[in-house]
């Protein structure tokens, strides 16, 4: 894939300003596009946009669907404009925090209003709106029907995992599913309605981005949650036992200084997928690329080989490396989908076979200066060493902010960083932005936290921790014209 030199900003949608306690697809997103336009940026990267829940700490990487959109991102003001909510329903609640998402309050608040909007839609929707909804359900039926039924059944069983449902439902007995569709028809319609609204609002946002000359960069988590519509609807795609539980789960092996990670997601049955010409994955990629212009593949290493941990084992060290689908997978997907505009997360596993797979398809890998050994004469993560076919970040959703990283550096590394960047560290966030922008990497990205020179209290996620993540928000007005103009000036000099 040939890349033109471009730059942009990484900010997940939940972190936008918004009237209802969480960033959404509404006015805050449009204001951010205005900022990107003034700042002369052409990329906006976000985390996955699937449904989130308290079961996974509202992590965008722990969703019950690889296809559906997150209901919490739906813009309620748009629903009021359509006549599906009255003005009182969309008044901002008093508890909204401009700096944090309070999911415990946001989730019930928005879901209550989404149900009200659905009821009003059924009562007052125009013929055109009803036809649009029906057309959406037909177009997206391949995933939507299963997702809506899964969500309805999960609600009917008080949120219990699908493996704990009655056997006839867990095993997808056709007669039992037909009965369930009749019994839960209204709930299924509601779930489909929310997805239709999300789809329409997303399409409008993408059109607005294009008008601003901004491309959207999405994210592909390689694995899905065990308790998801994906695993329930397509169990043959995964390594499961007779009751639907994983026989092996995903993770990473121990490295120097850590004991590895056990993520708990079921691993894929790549043999079965190969027999179907990777159909499930093809559909997933097609759906994603209908929403975004570029996509980051999370944990790219697993397409080369993946760490499989026996489901009954608690320790990651009990796992083993297994062969992934390799080049054949991407060749098949490219043949069926077309160009693969992928960026790949290749951090931490730079072995020969993975690099060969990445380079065979010319996928740009990730470079983050926070992983640099600043005192080494040559280190791949020092910005002066970045290759052209690369995507470089000042920080990511999984790292500390630039300021927080700098404050944690040891004295020797800090002195070496000062020398490498010719800085005294007083404006370290922008020093790193400049270093990434002046590197040879084709794509240069920073975060809003780094543009605002924020410390560790603005960190978005700390891997391996379960509390306090995915909640940070940027306050309205923080991204002012001075910040935009500074970034535009740098972009004009460094990337043109």
């Amino acid at each position: 894939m040939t890349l033109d030199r471009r730059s942009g900003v990484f900010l997940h949608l939940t972190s936008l300003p918004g009237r209802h306690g969480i960033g959404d697809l509404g006015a805050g997103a449009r204001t951010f596009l205005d900022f990107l336009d003034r700042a002369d940026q052409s990329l906006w990267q976000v985390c996955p946009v699937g449904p989130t829940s308290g079961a996974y700490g509202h992590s965008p990487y722990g969703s019950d669907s690889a296809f559906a959109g997150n209901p919490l991102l739906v813009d309620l003001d748009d629903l009021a404009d359509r006549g599906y909510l009255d003005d009182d329903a969309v008044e901002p609640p008093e508890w909204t925090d401009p700096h944090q998402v309070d999911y415990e309050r946001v989730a019930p608040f928005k879901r209550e209003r989404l149900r009200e909007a659905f009821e009003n839609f059924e009562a007052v929707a125009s013929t055109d709106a009803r036809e649009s909804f029906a057309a959406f359900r037909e177009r997206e039926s391949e995933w939507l029907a299963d997702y809506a039924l899964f969500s309805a059944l999960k609600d009917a069983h008080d949120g219990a995992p699908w493996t704990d449902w009655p056997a006839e439902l867990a095993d997808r007995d056709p007669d039992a599913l037909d009965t369930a569709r009749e019994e839960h028809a209204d709930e299924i319609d509601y779930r489909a309605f929310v997805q239709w609204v999300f789809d329409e609002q997303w399409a409008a946002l993408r059109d607005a981005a294009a008008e601003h000359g901004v491309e959207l960069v999405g994210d592909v988590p390689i694995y899905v949650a065990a308790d998801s519509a994906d695993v329930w609807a397509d169990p043959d795609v995964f390594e499961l036992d007779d009751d639907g539980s994983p026989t092996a789960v995903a993770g990473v092996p121990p490295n120097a200084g850590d004991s590895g990670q056990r993520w708990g997601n079921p691993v894929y049955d790549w043999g079965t997928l190969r027999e179907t010409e990777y159909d499930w994955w093809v559909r997933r990629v097609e759906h994603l690329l209908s929403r975004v212009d570029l996509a980051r593949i999370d944990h790219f290493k697993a397409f080369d080989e993946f760490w499989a941990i026996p489901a009954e084992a608690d320790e990651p060290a009990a796992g083993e490396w297994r062969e992934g689908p390799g080049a054949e997978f991407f060749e098949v997907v490219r043949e069926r989908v077309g160009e693969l505009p992928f960026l790949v997360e290749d951090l931490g596993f730079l072995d020969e076979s993975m690099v060969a797979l990445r380079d065979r398809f010319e996928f740009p890998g990730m470079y983050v200066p926070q992983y640099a050994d600043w005192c080494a004469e040559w280190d791949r993560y020092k910005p002066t060493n970045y290759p052209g076919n690369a995507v470089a970040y000042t920080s990511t959703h999984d790292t500390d902010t630039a300021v927080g990283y700098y404050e944690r550096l040891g004295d020797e590394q800090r002195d070496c960083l000062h020398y490498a960047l010719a800085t005294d560290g007083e404006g370290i966030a922008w020093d790193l932005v400049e270093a990434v922008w002046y590197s040879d990497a084709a794509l240069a990205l920073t975060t809003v936290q780094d543009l605002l020179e924020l410390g560790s209290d603005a960190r978005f996620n700390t891997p391996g921790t379960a509390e306090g993540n995915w909640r940070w928000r940027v306050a309205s007005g923080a991204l002012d014209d001075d910040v935009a103009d500074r970034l535009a000036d740098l972009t004009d000099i460094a990337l043109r």
Side-chain angles (χ1 to χ4, degrees), residues 291-312:
R291 286 181 173 168
V292 300
D293 303 286
L294 298 161
R296 187 194 79 123
I297 298 179
D298 189 43
H299 194 52
F300 179 73
K301 170 63 179 172
F303 288 99
D304 171 44
E305 56 180 359
F306 59 96
W307 190 250
I309 305 167
E312 67 275 10

Side-chain angles (χ1 to χ4, degrees), residues 249-254 258-264 307-320:
V249 297
V252 290
D258 68 51
S259 58
Q261 297 178 34
R262 184 187 187 279
W263 299 332
W307 190 250
I309 305 167
E312 67 275 10
D314 294 328
E315 297 300 324
E320 63 178 3

Side-chain angles (χ1 to χ4, degrees), residues 186-197:
D186 189 64
E187 182 70 12
I188 290 169
D189 289 346
Y190 160 68
R191 301 287 179 164
F193 165 79
V194 173
Q195 291 304 309
W196 170 63
V197 172

Side-chain angles (χ1 to χ4, degrees), residues 112-131:
E112 179 182 324
R113 279 145 186 81
L114 290 173
R115 287 190 180 275
E116 181 181 343
F118 170 63
E119 292 170 2
N120 290 331
F121 166 83
E122 289 200 307
V124 305
S126 66
T127 299
D128 287 346
R130 294 179 193 277
E131 290 178 349

Side-chain angles (χ1 to χ4, degrees), residues 299-482:
H299 194 52
F300 179 73
K301 170 63 179 172
F303 288 99
D304 171 44
E305 56 180 359
F306 59 96
W307 190 250
I309 305 167
E312 67 275 10
D314 294 328
E315 297 300 324
E320 63 178 3
W321 285 113
R322 296 185 187 174
E323 185 177 355
E328 179 191 67
F329 170 83
F330 292 103
E331 289 169 351
V332 170
V333 175
R334 182 171 59 187
E335 181 178 339
R336 294 183 59 185
V337 174
E339 182 182 2
L340 302 179
F342 290 149
L343 324 172
V344 300
E345 187 274 296
D346 55 353
L347 301 168
F349 295 98
L350 290 166
D351 54 84
E352 184 176 345
S353 59
M354 189 278 290
V355 170
L357 179 62
R358 181 198 68 195
D359 291 350
R360 175 169 176 167
F361 294 92
E362 298 183 324
F363 296 146
M366 286 178 60
Y367 292 79
V368 185
Q370 293 193 28
Y371 296 121
D373 178 353
W374 295 99
C375 299
E377 183 174 350
W378 189 95
D379 184 275
R380 74 185 313 270
Y381 294 115
K382 293 168 73 171
T384 51
N385 298 323
Y386 295 168
N389 191 36
V391 52
Y393 298 81
T394 59
S395 57
T396 75
H397 62 287
D398 276 342
T399 71
D400 206 341
T401 67
V403 170
Y405 157 75
Y406 177 76
E407 291 175 344
R408 291 186 295 102
L409 271 182
D411 291 342
E412 182 180 13
Q413 282 291 315
R414 187 176 296 179
D415 289 343
C416 292
L417 181 153
H418 290 168
Y419 178 79
L421 300 186
T423 180
D424 61 6
E426 286 298 313
I428 189 61
W430 276 89
D431 290 335
L432 286 170
V433 174
E434 290 183 8
V436 165
W437 256 239
Y438 276 108
S439 76
D440 288 337
L443 306 183
L445 288 109
T446 188
T447 64
V448 165
Q449 291 95 319
D450 291 346
L451 292 177
L452 299 178
E453 303 179 86
L454 302 178
S456 297
D457 56 340
R459 182 169 182 162
F460 199 38
N461 177 52
T462 303
T465 64
E467 302 294 331
N469 296 315
W470 316 111
R471 295 175 179 263
W472 180 82
R473 299 177 70 198
V474 58
S476 179
L479 290 170
D480 58 24
D481 290 347
D482 289 341

Side-chain angles (χ1 to χ4, degrees), residues 85-373:
L85 290 174
D86 60 32
D87 291 340
D88 289 341
V90 295
E91 277 297 305
E94 295 181 357
W95 45 258
T96 56
D97 185 337
H99 304 291
Q100 295 283 325
V101 179
D102 184 348
Y103 284 107
E104 291 71 26
R105 288 177 163 174
V106 164
F109 173 84
K110 295 205 76 169
R111 287 169 181 154
E112 179 182 324
R113 279 145 186 81
L114 290 173
R115 287 190 180 275
E116 181 181 343
F118 170 63
E119 292 170 2
N120 290 331
F121 166 83
E122 289 200 307
V124 305
S126 66
T127 299
D128 287 346
R130 294 179 193 277
E131 290 178 349
S132 175
F133 180 33
F136 168 76
R137 296 186 76 165
E138 176 66 24
R139 185 181 79 240
E140 305 296 334
S141 60
E142 199 162 28
W143 65 268
L144 180 62
D146 281 323
Y147 168 75
L149 177 57
F150 173 86
S151 300
L153 288 172
K154 195 164 181 64
D155 186 65
H157 290 90
D158 298 321
W162 67 266
T163 50
D164 292 342
W165 298 350
E168 63 271 18
L169 293 175
D171 295 339
R172 296 180 59 82
D173 175 79
D175 290 339
L177 295 187
D178 285 343
T179 299
R181 291 185 188 101
E182 293 179 9
E183 183 179 348
H184 303 290
D186 189 64
E187 182 70 12
I188 290 169
D189 289 346
Y190 160 68
R191 301 287 179 164
F193 165 79
V194 173
Q195 291 304 309
W196 170 63
V197 172
F198 178 95
D199 186 77
E200 289 213 326
Q201 292 185 359
W202 184 275
L205 177 64
R206 191 175 184 190
D207 287 345
E211 291 174 3
H212 285 280
V214 173
E215 292 192 340
L216 300 180
V217 183
D219 201 314
V220 189
I222 181 168
Y223 293 115
V224 302
D227 187 24
S228 66
D230 310 294
V231 179
W232 175 69
D234 290 287
D236 291 344
V237 169
F238 307 90
E239 293 193 12
L240 309 176
D241 62 20
D242 291 340
D243 69 1
S245 299
T247 58
V249 297
V252 290
N255 287 309
D258 68 51
S259 58
Q261 297 178 34
R262 184 187 187 279
W263 299 332
N265 311 77
V267 299
Y268 294 103
D269 184 336
W270 286 113
T272 296
L273 278 163
R274 184 176 293 111
E275 292 172 2
T276 65
E277 295 188 314
Y278 305 103
D279 181 68
W280 184 88
W281 264 99
V282 168
R283 288 187 282 115
R284 185 183 187 189
V285 170
E286 286 177 331
H287 184 68
L288 176 72
L289 296 183
S290 72
R291 286 181 173 168
V292 300
D293 303 286
L294 298 161
R296 187 194 79 123
I297 298 179
D298 189 43
H299 194 52
F300 179 73
K301 170 63 179 172
F303 288 99
D304 171 44
E305 56 180 359
F306 59 96
W307 190 250
I309 305 167
E312 67 275 10
D314 294 328
E315 297 300 324
E320 63 178 3
W321 285 113
R322 296 185 187 174
E323 185 177 355
E328 179 191 67
F329 170 83
F330 292 103
E331 289 169 351
V332 170
V333 175
R334 182 171 59 187
E335 181 178 339
R336 294 183 59 185
V337 174
E339 182 182 2
L340 302 179
F342 290 149
L343 324 172
V344 300
E345 187 274 296
D346 55 353
L347 301 168
F349 295 98
L350 290 166
D351 54 84
E352 184 176 345
S353 59
M354 189 278 290
V355 170
L357 179 62
R358 181 198 68 195
D359 291 350
R360 175 169 176 167
F361 294 92
E362 298 183 324
F363 296 146
M366 286 178 60
Y367 292 79
V368 185
Q370 293 193 28
Y371 296 121
D373 178 353

